């Protein structure tokens, strides 16, 4: 289980220190799919980076299976079994896709095994397996390859920051199935930051973050109808203003 206790994070800007996260606490239970949503600029991506170890919280604690990991690096957290997929995936010039998947899996996968991970995310393996992970790949292709590496790692905690970004409609529908299968087969914890209703609709739990704080938290059946109702009301108000 992953637990956040009173997490705050401040960042320096031209005006001084800005409070990005404010006293955030929640639990990511074992074998649970949690979706984090909310307005842009509310602190969601910063939260994911704090959990992964890319950013260090200004105050508070992060516990993983009862162990305080607040001071651990991203590498140390990865070794414990925490995976992180960036909103904008990193490019690796000189590294091929098969090398990257083998590194993620931690073993010398057979060619056919590596290809299977690509097939799961909707990529034709023969077209990608020997390509370099560089600027020749589109953002959507990189995103799917990154998700394939998360599947290959098979860790107990998987963090995804807006996995739908840059993904076409067909691939996104396929990724929904990928996340469902990941949840059902690994029996680990998944935390996805997303605005997409279809992702929120398969989550066990939804957490809404706005202005750096948790404003709503509960089961999908409790939270999603409220979010959709608020979204429809806002859309209606905009339509009336335009008319």
């Amino acid at each position: 289980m992953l637990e956040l206790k009173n997490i705050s994070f401040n960042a320096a800007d031209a005006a001084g220190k800005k409070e990005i996260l404010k006293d955030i606490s929640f639990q990511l239970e074992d074998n649970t799919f949690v979706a984090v949503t909310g307005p842009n600029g509310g602190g969601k991506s910063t939260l994911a980076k704090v959990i992964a170890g890319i950013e260090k919280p200004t105050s508070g604690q992060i516990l993983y299976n009862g162990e305080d990991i607040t001071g651990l690096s991203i590498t140390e957290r990865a070794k414990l079994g925490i995976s992180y997929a960036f909103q904008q995936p990193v490019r690796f010039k000189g590294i091929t896709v098969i090398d990257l998947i083998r590194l993620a899996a931690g073993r010398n996968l057979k060619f056919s095994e590596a290809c299977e991970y690509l097939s799961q995310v909707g990529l034709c393996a023969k077209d990608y397996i020997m390509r370099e992970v560089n600027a020749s790949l589109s953002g959507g292709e990189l995103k799917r390859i990154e998700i394939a590496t998360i599947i290959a790692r098979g860790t107990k905690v998987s963090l995804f920051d807006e996995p739908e970004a840059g993904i076409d409609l067909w691939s996104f529908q396929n990724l929904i199935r990928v996340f469902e299968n990941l949840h059902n087969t690994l029996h680990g914890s998944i935390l996805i930051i997303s605005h997409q209703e279809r992702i929120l609709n398969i989550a066990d739990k939804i957490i809404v973050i706005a202005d750096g704080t948790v404003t709503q938290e509960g089961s999908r059946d409790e939270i999603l109808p409220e979010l959709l109702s608020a979204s429809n009301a806002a859309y209606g108000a905009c339509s009336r203003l335009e008319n």
Side-chain angles (χ1 to χ4, degrees):
M1 182 179 72
L2 189 72
E3 183 177 7
L4 276 65
K5 288 186 173 182
N6 310 111
I7 292 294
S8 295
F9 178 79
N10 297 336
D13 59 15
K17 288 186 178 180
K18 182 178 180 182
E19 197 173 19
I20 308 297
L21 301 176
K22 308 169 185 175
D23 198 34
I24 288 182
S25 298
F26 65 81
Q27 293 180 349
L28 180 60
E29 304 282 353
D30 293 339
N31 195 25
T32 302
F33 187 144
V34 173
V36 176
T37 193
N40 289 330
K44 301 184 301 300
S45 290
T46 300
L47 175 66
K49 291 176 181 178
V50 166
I51 295 173
I54 299 170
E55 301 283 5
K56 301 298 182 186
T58 306
S59 61
Q61 281 184 304
I62 302 174
L63 304 178
Y64 180 52
N65 293 331
E67 177 186 352
D68 189 341
I69 64 169
T70 313
L72 297 187
S73 68
I74 185 171
T75 301
E76 291 168 322
R77 296 185 199 198
K79 289 178 180 178
L80 287 177
I82 299 175
S83 294
Y84 175 71
F86 290 84
Q87 188 179 72
Q88 299 295 330
V90 180
R91 300 175 188 272
F92 301 94
K93 187 176 181 180
I95 296 180
T96 62
V97 172
I98 191 169
D99 289 336
L100 191 62
I101 293 175
R102 283 172 172 167
L103 282 171
R107 60 189 178 91
N108 189 25
L109 292 173
K110 295 179 181 177
F111 192 86
S112 59
E113 291 176 304
C115 287
E116 175 58 28
Y117 289 121
L118 290 179
S119 298
Q120 286 185 47
V121 295
L123 292 176
C124 180
K126 67 181 181 64
D127 292 338
Y128 290 92
I129 196 70
M130 298 308 299
R131 288 180 66 177
E132 285 192 16
V133 188
N134 57 21
S136 69
L137 295 167
S138 71
E141 289 168 333
L142 281 169
K143 180 73 75 170
R144 283 182 277 175
I145 290 167
E146 184 181 49
I147 293 171
T149 66
I150 300 292
I151 299 171
R153 285 205 71 207
T155 48
K156 287 299 183 182
V157 176
S158 302
L159 312 172
F160 298 89
D161 190 356
E162 296 196 22
E164 69 271 16
I167 299 291
D168 60 84
L169 181 60
W170 183 89
S171 299
F172 180 67
Q173 291 171 335
N174 186 55
L175 286 180
I176 293 294
R177 292 191 292 272
V178 168
F179 293 135
E180 289 178 316
N181 290 337
L182 190 64
H183 185 33
N184 293 332
T185 57
L186 289 182
H187 303 294
S189 304
I190 298 174
L191 186 147
I192 297 184
I193 293 172
S194 179
H195 298 283
Q196 282 286 339
E197 180 184 342
R198 281 170 291 181
I199 288 180
L200 302 182
N201 201 44
I202 62 172
D204 301 314
K205 179 180 178 181
I206 296 174
I207 297 173
V208 182
I209 292 181
D211 193 28
T213 64
V214 174
T215 59
Q216 290 177 279
E217 180 180 356
S219 70
R220 175 187 63 239
D221 293 338
E222 292 172 329
I223 303 299
L224 188 55
E226 292 183 37
L227 293 178
L228 295 178
S229 177
S231 178
N232 290 335
Y235 176 79
C238 288
S239 297
R240 288 193 295 273
L241 287 173
E242 290 173 357
N243 294 329

